[in-house]
Amino acid sequence: MKQIIFILSTLLLMSTAYSQQPARITRIKDGDTFVAVWKHRSYTCRLASIDAPELSQTYGYESYQALSKIVAGKKILITAHTRDLYGRVLVNAYVDGKRLDSLLIRKGYAWHYSTYSHEAMLKQCMQDAILDKAGLWHCGKDSVCPPWLFRNYNYPNKQKYCMGCN
């Protein structure tokens, strides 16, 4: 039964892939993940091209708050692509005609996830944020710990390498 539901939800997702759908965000989970409703169904979504600090990481709560503030009370447009290993729908989202991922990167609340995205515009947004010392970059490039490293570090290494500039 779970396989049938998964297949049907995947087919539904594929039918909406690459077309913008109006959506409403009902819950923010962290700086790059949220729950959205479109076509009368709720989806856990992850912004496809960014990686935001984990909630337990330095600047994680600020990233969560930034996403919450940007989308508060606004309708968004979502372009769904596929699902990740955790079953989340990978999306591009647009708020007031602007890409949500570029807003978060440019304000220093997320990294351009260059492992999975090769968009020059997002790379430039991150370079601009670093140069302006925006958000998590306020102490410089060497004081930040990317979330993909943070997730893999054990507690002593998190304490050693991921404490920010405090």
Side-chain angles (χ1 to χ4, degrees):
M1 182 55 111
K2 284 185 180 182
Q3 287 178 322
I4 292 171
I5 292 171
F6 181 76
I7 290 169
L8 290 175
S9 68
T10 301
L11 288 173
L12 175 66
L13 183 61
M14 288 172 61
S15 71
T16 62
Y18 301 107
S19 66
Q20 289 186 348
Q21 303 291 323
R24 181 176 48 88
I25 294 180
T26 58
R27 179 175 169 225
I28 304 295
K29 290 192 165 191
D30 62 23
D32 56 25
T33 307
F34 53 86
V35 177
V37 175
W38 73 88
K39 289 194 171 185
H40 308 292
R41 182 132 191 265
S42 182
Y43 298 90
T44 297
C45 303
R46 185 176 192 295
L47 292 167
S49 300
I50 69 170
D51 201 3
E54 299 297 320
L55 283 174
S56 60
Q57 185 178 354
T58 302
Y59 233 75
Y61 185 69
E62 290 83 352
S63 180
Y64 162 85
Q65 285 182 310
L67 178 57
S68 299
K69 185 177 179 182
I70 291 170
V71 300
K74 296 183 181 172
K75 294 230 175 174
I76 63 170
L77 292 174
I78 286 186
T79 304
H81 297 285
T82 186
R83 290 190 184 268
D84 67 7
L85 295 172
Y86 306 102
R88 300 173 297 192
V89 180
L90 296 174
V91 301
N92 285 334
Y94 302 83
V95 177
D96 297 330
K98 298 175 186 159
R99 281 187 50 177
L100 187 52
D101 53 6
S102 67
L103 292 172
L104 291 167
I105 293 170
R106 183 61 186 93
K107 292 181 179 190
Y109 294 111
W111 279 259
H112 171 220
Y113 211 170
S114 58
T115 303
Y116 300 104
S117 167
H118 305 289
E119 293 183 61
M121 182 268 297
L122 296 178
K123 182 178 180 181
Q124 186 60 52
C125 286
M126 190 162 123
Q127 290 303 317
D128 292 345
I130 292 169
L131 288 173
D132 291 345
K133 296 187 180 234
L136 61 90
W137 305 105
H138 71 279
C139 291
K141 190 175 179 179
D142 295 332
S143 297
V144 296
C145 176
W148 55 89
L149 294 178
F150 182 85
R151 288 188 288 268
N152 291 313
Y153 283 158
N154 60 20
Y155 183 76
N157 282 336
K158 285 179 183 177
Q159 296 300 305
K160 184 175 181 180
Y161 300 114
C162 298
M163 293 307 293
C165 61
N166 299 334

